[in-house]
């Protein structure tokens, strides 16, 4: 069991180090957001490894809350990035994109 925990801890530490490099180097805001998301996931994994090693179950709510914060944070940052770039996925023919097959610009009667 000790060998497995040590190997898992080394792999999580390597992932966290690579995430820090991605956050530092960038080059764009979304690359930095991806690095922070990976850093949050690495932190969740490190806490999970500690919980398994010490056989404590009271860290499960902490893991759940941290995972939720990481997910919501990355969704908010990605939505902010889409709005900053000016592209809107719900805009079809107005943006110059080709129309889908079988679709018309006229509204259908209800």
């Amino acid at each position: 069991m000790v060998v497995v925990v040590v190997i898992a801890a080394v792999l999580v530490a390597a992932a966290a180090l690579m995430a820090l490099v991605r956050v530092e180097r960038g080059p764009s805001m979304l690359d930095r957001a991806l690095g922070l998301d990976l850093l949050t996931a690495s932190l969740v994994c490190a806490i999970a490894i500690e919980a398994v090693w010490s056989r404590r179950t009271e860290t499960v709510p902490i893991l759940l809350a941290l995972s939720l914060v990481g997910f919501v944070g990355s969704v908010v940052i990605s939505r902010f990035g889409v709005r900053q770039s000016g592209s809107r996925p719900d805009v079809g023919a107005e943006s110059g994109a080709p129309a889908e097959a079988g679709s018309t610009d006229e509204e259908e009667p209800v």
Side-chain angles (χ1 to χ4, degrees):
M1 170 107 168
V2 175
V3 174
V4 173
V5 170
V6 168
I7 290 172
V10 167
L11 291 175
V12 168
L17 183 65
M18 287 187 266
L20 282 174
V21 169
R22 176 52 52 201
V23 169
E24 191 269 327
R25 289 193 179 169
S28 70
M29 182 194 71
L30 292 178
D31 286 330
R32 288 185 170 95
L34 180 68
L36 288 174
D37 190 35
L38 181 60
L39 194 60
T40 304
S42 299
L43 182 62
V44 167
C45 290
I47 293 172
I49 289 170
E50 191 276 329
V52 167
W53 178 253
S54 64
R55 297 176 188 238
R56 294 180 9 194
T57 58
E58 57 267 4
T59 57
V60 172
I62 296 169
L63 291 172
L64 183 65
L66 190 58
S67 299
L68 186 62
V69 166
F71 172 74
V72 170
S74 50
V75 167
V76 167
I77 289 173
S78 66
R79 287 186 60 105
F80 178 74
V82 167
R83 287 190 183 163
Q84 288 293 329
S85 68
S87 64
R88 291 183 51 198
D90 59 340
V91 177
E94 295 86 12
S95 67
E100 295 180 10
S103 67
T104 62
D105 290 331
E106 301 175 15
E107 293 183 4
E108 296 180 18
V110 179

